[in-house]
Amino acid sequence: MAKSGESARLLLNQLADERSRRVVLVSHCLLNENTRYAGGATRPGAVTEVVDELITARVGIHQLPCPEQLAWGGVLKRHTLRLYHSKGGPLYAVRGALLSAFIVWTKVVYRQLARRVVRQVADYHRAGITVAGIVGIGASPSCGVSTTLDMRASLEVVAACPAAALTRDVMNEQAVLGCRRCGPGLFINALDRELTRRRLTLPAFEHDLAAELRGQRQAVLATPAPRTLGTAAAAAAKGH
């Protein structure tokens, strides 16, 4: 592994070109808001200030897969829609069991996706390219770095809300921002564990979804990363 990495660096030096040899992993919907949950897109496509900041920083932009699109039934997350407006119906009575099974399924899919992403991180390293960090999304149940979504609380909001009353404001202010909690999202957690297993670390930055929804521009890389992924085992040991 070490010899392979050294050979890659020698080759890049010999065939020196314009690449910065630095890349940042970026949550999918920051580059393509068409995959956001319904009501959550604030841009036609990319969050331009994030893109501009990364271009200014002279780093490559590696778009991560959208884990929810792949695990939850496509762009519209169709597997989640069955419990919308469900209060009073047969599904509402078993919502707790359904959500528990749904989370187990999600963790299985996310573990597979995390392994694929971490293999790509390792490949960058072998090629002599530094992965300078990952940009997650605060309040996301999947890609939150230091803030995520209480999925049970969010489910109660959308299940109890009549179809005609479920507006964009209700979705964003009550079902998302109103149900935030501290902690990582499920996909970030899976990446943390897989990076730990491969003995790799990665600074994790967080784009603030609340600020974006309220029209506030932000500089993601301007402050230190709130956490470093790849330290799950050490954190667990410290907790004991």
Side-chain angles (χ1 to χ4, degrees):
M1 178 84 65
K3 289 183 178 180
S4 175
E6 181 61 26
S7 297
R9 283 186 286 273
L10 289 173
L11 181 63
L12 285 179
N13 289 337
Q14 182 176 339
L15 300 176
D17 53 24
E18 300 307 315
R19 74 191 69 196
S20 67
R21 305 190 197 183
R22 297 177 69 243
V23 65
V24 171
L25 311 182
V26 180
S27 290
H28 186 96
C29 69
L30 291 176
L31 302 178
N32 175 24
E33 290 213 1
N34 292 285
T35 62
R36 278 272 175 91
Y37 64 90
T42 67
R43 316 294 171 85
V47 180
T48 53
E49 63 267 30
V50 172
V51 176
D52 290 344
E53 184 181 7
L54 293 169
I55 290 173
T56 300
R58 297 172 57 84
V59 297
I61 301 172
H62 179 110
Q63 184 177 26
L64 291 168
C66 174
E68 294 172 8
Q69 179 185 7
L70 297 174
W72 294 1
V75 169
L76 292 180
K77 303 14 172 230
R78 290 178 177 84
H79 299 333
T80 68
L81 299 182
R82 298 176 184 177
L83 288 171
Y84 281 42
H85 336 300
S86 62
K87 191 169 184 176
L91 288 181
Y92 186 77
V94 294
R95 65 194 184 283
L98 287 175
L99 181 60
S100 295
F102 179 73
I103 290 174
V104 169
W105 161 256
T106 297
K107 288 180 177 180
V108 169
V109 176
Y110 285 11
R111 188 181 305 122
Q112 296 170 346
L113 290 175
R115 287 176 178 169
R116 187 175 81 189
V117 169
V118 173
R119 284 197 297 268
Q120 293 172 329
V121 171
D123 184 40
Y124 277 123
H125 286 179
R126 286 192 299 270
I129 296 171
T130 299
V131 181
I134 179 173
V135 180
I137 303 175
S140 167
S142 302
C143 299
V145 173
S146 57
T147 57
T148 186
L149 187 73
D150 184 330
M151 293 179 67
R152 292 185 186 278
S154 184
L155 169 62
E156 288 297 325
V157 173
V158 297
C161 187
L166 185 58
T167 64
R168 182 178 181 182
D169 285 344
V170 169
M171 175 62 77
N172 288 322
E173 294 297 329
Q174 297 182 32
V176 179
L177 300 185
C179 296
R180 285 175 293 176
R181 64 173 176 81
C182 294
L186 294 174
F187 185 52
I188 292 295
N189 197 46
L191 284 172
D192 190 16
R193 292 180 180 278
E194 188 62 20
L195 286 162
T196 299
R197 190 180 73 83
R198 295 288 294 265
R199 300 178 184 274
L200 297 168
T201 59
L202 197 59
F205 301 88
E206 187 169 73
H207 174 80
D208 185 355
L209 178 61
E212 181 193 325
L213 289 172
R214 292 166 183 166
Q216 301 167 0
R217 294 176 68 87
Q218 54 192 296
V220 176
L221 305 180
T223 57
R227 62 176 300 198
T228 299
L229 304 185
T231 58
K238 185 177 180 180
H240 288 300

